[in-house]
Amino acid sequence: MMLSSINNSFEQDTHDVDANCDGPDLDFVYSDVDSYQNEIAELYSYTEYSEFQSNVKAFEDQMELYDLPPNWQKQDSASQRSIVMKLIDQLEVSNRTLRMQAARCILYLAQGCWAEVQSDEEQHQNTRDNVIVLYELGVFSSFIDLLNMEIESACSPDIVAVKITNVTLVDSTDIRVILSVLYIITETIRDEREKASEDYKDLAESFVQEINSPLPDGELLAVKLLGMITRFCSGAAPQFPMKKVVLLLWKVSLLGLGGMDVLKNLKNEYRLKVGLDPITEDTLEVTKCMRASSPPATATDILENQYPKRNFKRSLMKQRFLDEPEQIDMEMSGNEGSGNANNSGGNNGGSNGEEELLQYYRPFDDPSSSASTTATANPNNQPSLTAPLAAVPPVQITARLPWTPKVRQKDIDQFLDISRNKFIGYSLIGDHESLAGLPQPIHEGFKTLQRHMYMSLADMQIKKEEDIARNPISTHEDEIKLTPAEILYQAILPNLPQYMIALLKVLLAASPTSKSKTESINIMADVLPKKMPLTATQSTKLTVDMGRHKEIIVKAVSAIILLYLKHFKINHVYQFEFMSQHLVFANCIPLVLKFFNQTITEYVNTKNNIPLLDFPSCVIGEQPDLSGDSFVYGADMSDKPYSWRNVFSCINLLRILNKLIKWKHSRVMMLVVFKSAPILKKTLKVRHAMMQLYVLKLLKMQTKYLGRQWRKSNMKTMSAIYSKVRHRLNDDWAFGNDLESRPWDFQAEECTLRACVDRFNLRRYPEATQKCGAGGGSGNNGGGGTAAQNAENSQQSNMNAGNGYGGNNGGADSNGYGGNNGGGGGGGGNNSGNNQQQQQQLNDYGVEGGFPSDEILTHSDFAFFGHSGWWDRKVELTDYFKANYAVWLEEEVYNSQTDWDAL
């Protein structure tokens, strides 16, 4: 097969290298959500098809009870409101059957009364009109009360004992009805708000205020849903339908916090408040003008072009050691084209090199050039999939990079310090401007650096925190503004470690690379029918449904984590760092790498979809018989060669990985230790500019640690990094001479960050922080303790994991990820026994009860002096401790020899 493909590549007379890649560029446009129709269709599994008829039956029975015709559209507005009020009253009766019948009627109304319409547009319009009536009459809050009742009954011990062994679709019937109504109302209001509909304007604002305010029981809706995920992961409620829960949590968070446009406006608003210039370059906008590319040819390939007779042999030998199979075809066609150029052009190396670069890599298209007209019609400047390649007009290429270079104040100070020591022999600590005695080129370099200096919002917030820590009395702290992100952070802070572990557990269970036999949770409970399929068609349908179910969960969970990280980073950088640390401690980095350790092009192109079974197509009009032909027809109905949700999930996970690792050398080393470079390089096969950009960023971070040989062997990737990723003017990423890459600073860096974050939390949220440190793992939360107290162990275990994806601190799952230190999973380590033994020893010595937690004791004393009440508390020592004090001194102090060098 390999030889035949190589012969075919020689026979094809092609001059465009990109045509030999896995496929054309993806015309995917990244946004907050998919289309409204797709988002609603993804709420339902294909196995729920029979329940649509149950909703109609409940509506008809209820209308018969009211002596009204079973047709919603024939009722006038007053009659419709009267019916809804009667249904709301019925939701409060004690009889469960009557209560759920009313709930099903309301679900049918929210679904757009599909039995009375003939087209999807009519159904959508009915949903739009009915949601206004339902929300104005208080259906949303009534269903929140129903959800509370279901949560309480589902978590009772007797029910868990009965259902935990074999959970199917039937066990979650009632709670799925409730979650579906809540989701349809939320998603419809979000969509209409995004469209700026006039009749939804006031209603949408009221709804946003409602979901950002505590419920009558004092909890936010988002926190309640996070608690459901935590209970599900701990085994306390295995029948919870996870897909519907995470979808509702995603849409509630997106509507409450705001999407990409809100984030951009908030960032500029906060920057202006602290005296910084607004951001002019938006990553999402710039990447729309980028073009997906295959990396340029290496210097070795260019040299080989001088010897055309040896090309075939060399390329074949090289292919055995490359991860990308398509590189053979690329090298063959590239060598042919460049060989011809060299033969005709003589030794004009400069022009040939430029042509070589343009042939292998399609550079950034300047939006200010004439190509911007094309970019408006086609955001990613993609060629048509149906038109031949020759029909694409030539792209006008500009001679500039896509990003304005940046430099930090820290980098300028380092440049000045090195220059002063080199030319004058002294350093001026704290002096950022003095150039006395330095030569003229240093002056010019300093001016260039200053012209490109970028001060981030995070830098200003960190500087403010340092001033408060240094001068707690004289430094004025601004009043905490209760923004949606601030309200959410205060609400989830006490149990944030458990929430992060639960989200990652669900993400791991839904990952296509996870193995079912090692899963500790069953996310398929709301897909599997009570009776397993008997025919081949039913089996195929269930297989597609299960794959679709997993993809939707990955999409929702990745979007939730990214949304929280972005909003917390803008609200306050230490809120972002606190969440980031707990994601790292729960092994989020190796989990994401494991997700990408698959044939990612197949994952992106896989369409686990049967359009004939998507809502509302499955219930409107005459339904064809479902057969093998229907599956093929359904797959051909899509006009896109990729799955929107899978590309969306991949980009989200790459962005999460970038946010966790950026400027954190210890976490960059985790990428190196887990051998992420080959995994990330395979992801470059996906022909989408934004995805390639985030992959190249991750490769750029670790390039300095991969060694000279890796850089020599991957010059194509190095060239792509140079062409696409923003330049930091004195960032020595390509050579590894950076002073910050010293390995002995890694642990100190992480511990210092942890101390700053905990100092921030203790000052602003003392009660919530103490709850997080003291009782985070009790009850049914399933998280187990605070992950922060095991930060050093987690970092060390991650560094020592080698090829595995292990750790031993509250990890996401077994399967090589988990650990027992926080009750997270089964396969990591065995620190829980040691911790229990140490705790027992502390109890024996009388340091129990109200004594500070390990999290507080591991930090510097000055970090908490004056901010916590521990130093004023009197600790009563027990008689046991006093009687054995001399023995303790003898064993632990006098006879303990410390090897300081080893330490």
Side-chain angles (χ1 to χ4, degrees), residues 669-670 673-674 792-808:
M669 281 303 298
M670 290 175 67
V673 169
F674 292 136
E792 296 177 15
N793 293 338
S794 176
Q795 291 294 318
Q796 192 61 38
S797 64
N798 284 334
M799 290 300 183
N800 294 337
N803 295 336
Y805 292 98
N808 45 8

Side-chain angles (χ1 to χ4, degrees), residues 537-608:
T537 300
Q538 291 175 342
S539 298
T540 305
K541 170 185 163 185
L542 182 59
T543 302
V544 172
D545 199 9
M546 292 172 66
R548 174 177 179 266
H549 184 81
K550 283 188 172 185
E551 292 172 1
I552 294 169
I553 289 178
V554 172
K555 166 187 170 181
V557 173
S558 63
I560 291 167
I561 295 175
L562 180 63
L563 187 70
Y564 286 1
L565 286 173
K566 290 186 73 65
H567 273 280
F568 288 157
K569 187 168 186 180
I570 291 177
N571 197 57
H572 199 289
V573 65
Y574 282 153
Q575 295 175 349
F576 161 80
E577 295 292 359
F578 185 64
M579 179 176 171
S580 298
Q581 282 201 326
H582 283 292
L583 286 172
V584 173
F585 298 155
N587 289 324
C588 179
I589 293 175
L591 191 157
V592 174
L593 291 177
K594 184 178 180 183
F595 177 89
F596 284 103
N597 192 21
Q598 58 174 314
T599 308
I600 201 67
T601 50
E602 289 184 8
Y603 181 75
V604 164
N605 296 329
T606 300
K607 296 179 192 173
N608 286 313

Side-chain angles (χ1 to χ4, degrees), residues 622-678:
E622 185 178 351
Q623 299 300 311
D625 293 334
L626 197 61
S627 63
D629 296 336
S630 300
F631 289 112
V632 175
Y633 174 68
D636 290 342
M637 286 175 66
S638 175
D639 59 342
K640 297 178 180 178
Y642 60 88
S643 168
W644 194 97
R645 61 172 168 263
N646 289 352
V647 181
F648 179 76
S649 301
C650 290
I651 293 178
N652 284 345
L653 291 172
L654 288 170
R655 296 182 73 186
I656 290 169
L657 205 54
N658 269 280
K659 289 199 169 296
L660 295 181
I661 293 172
K662 188 176 181 181
W663 303 119
K664 307 290 190 304
H665 299 289
S666 57
R667 300 175 192 175
V668 174
M669 281 303 298
M670 290 175 67
L671 285 183
V672 179
V673 169
F674 292 136
K675 296 180 170 57
S676 65

Side-chain angles (χ1 to χ4, degrees), residues 847-861:
V847 285
E848 56 186 6
F851 198 75
S853 64
D854 290 345
E855 139 180 79
I856 295 178
L857 292 176
T858 51
H859 301 313
S860 309
D861 292 352

Side-chain angles (χ1 to χ4, degrees), residues 199-233:
D199 47 350
Y200 264 84
K201 185 176 180 181
D202 296 335
L203 183 144
E205 295 303 321
S206 173
F207 183 72
V208 170
Q209 290 181 3
E210 181 176 348
I211 61 178
N212 283 331
S213 303
L215 301 171
D217 58 1
E219 269 190 333
L220 286 176
L221 178 56
V223 176
K224 188 176 294 295
L225 296 171
L226 283 168
M228 291 179 68
I229 300 174
T230 308
R231 287 190 177 94
F232 172 82
C233 292

Side-chain angles (χ1 to χ4, degrees), residues 680-696:
L680 295 172
K681 277 183 62 182
K682 287 192 295 184
T683 310
L684 287 173
K685 294 180 185 179
V686 180
R687 301 295 303 277
H688 188 262
M690 179 181 284
M691 188 182 296
Q692 288 184 350
L693 173 67
Y694 286 110
V695 172
L696 293 172

Side-chain angles (χ1 to χ4, degrees), residues 287-512:
T287 51
K288 287 179 182 179
C289 301
M290 281 187 177
R291 308 199 52 186
S293 65
S294 300
T298 62
T300 306
D301 293 333
I302 296 174
L303 290 175
E304 286 176 359
N305 293 334
Q306 300 175 10
Y307 307 97
K309 294 181 180 180
R310 301 173 61 185
N311 280 347
F312 171 78
K313 182 178 179 181
R314 288 203 173 203
S315 298
L316 180 59
M317 292 174 62
K318 183 184 294 185
Q319 175 59 26
R320 298 179 183 177
F321 304 96
L322 288 179
D323 291 331
E324 297 89 0
E326 81 275 10
Q327 290 292 347
I328 290 183
D329 294 340
M330 290 164 52
E331 289 177 3
M332 292 304 98
S333 58
N335 289 340
E336 289 177 10
S338 57
N340 294 336
N342 284 334
N343 291 336
S344 60
N347 294 325
N348 190 359
S351 61
N352 284 344
E354 184 176 352
E355 292 174 5
E356 186 83 26
L357 180 63
L358 297 182
Q359 180 183 358
Y360 275 86
Y361 175 68
R362 297 178 295 171
F364 169 72
D365 298 337
D366 189 353
S368 63
S369 68
S370 61
S372 61
T373 307
T374 309
T376 305
N378 192 352
N380 283 336
N381 290 329
Q382 309 300 338
S384 171
L385 300 180
T386 56
L389 191 62
V392 179
V395 178
Q396 183 174 353
I397 298 172
T398 58
R400 76 177 187 89
L401 294 170
W403 306 98
T404 303
K406 287 181 181 179
V407 65
R408 298 176 297 172
Q409 181 64 54
K410 178 181 178 182
D411 300 325
I412 297 179
D413 294 343
Q414 187 179 6
F415 171 77
L416 284 177
D417 192 49
I418 293 174
S419 301
R420 288 166 181 160
N421 284 321
K422 179 178 180 181
F423 293 101
I424 304 175
Y426 69 90
S427 58
L428 295 175
I429 300 175
D431 188 315
H432 306 298
E433 297 180 354
S434 177
L435 299 174
L438 297 177
Q440 186 61 31
I442 299 297
H443 289 229
E444 296 175 2
F446 175 73
K447 291 178 182 177
T448 302
L449 291 176
Q450 274 199 324
R451 194 164 57 250
H452 291 88
M453 192 184 78
Y454 173 77
M455 180 69 73
S456 69
L457 183 63
D459 291 336
M460 299 296 290
Q461 292 169 345
I462 291 173
K463 185 178 179 181
K464 179 75 172 178
E465 288 297 316
E466 290 174 349
D467 292 342
I468 294 175
R470 193 180 302 111
N471 305 303
I473 298 176
S474 60
T475 304
H476 172 70
E477 183 174 8
D478 299 332
E479 182 181 355
I480 301 175
K481 187 178 179 181
L482 290 179
T483 61
E486 182 68 33
I487 293 170
L488 177 66
Y489 183 77
Q490 292 183 18
I492 68 174
L493 177 58
N495 296 307
L496 188 140
Q498 289 76 40
Y499 296 151
M500 295 303 104
I501 290 173
L503 285 172
L504 292 182
K505 273 192 170 186
V506 173
L507 179 62
L508 177 63
S511 172

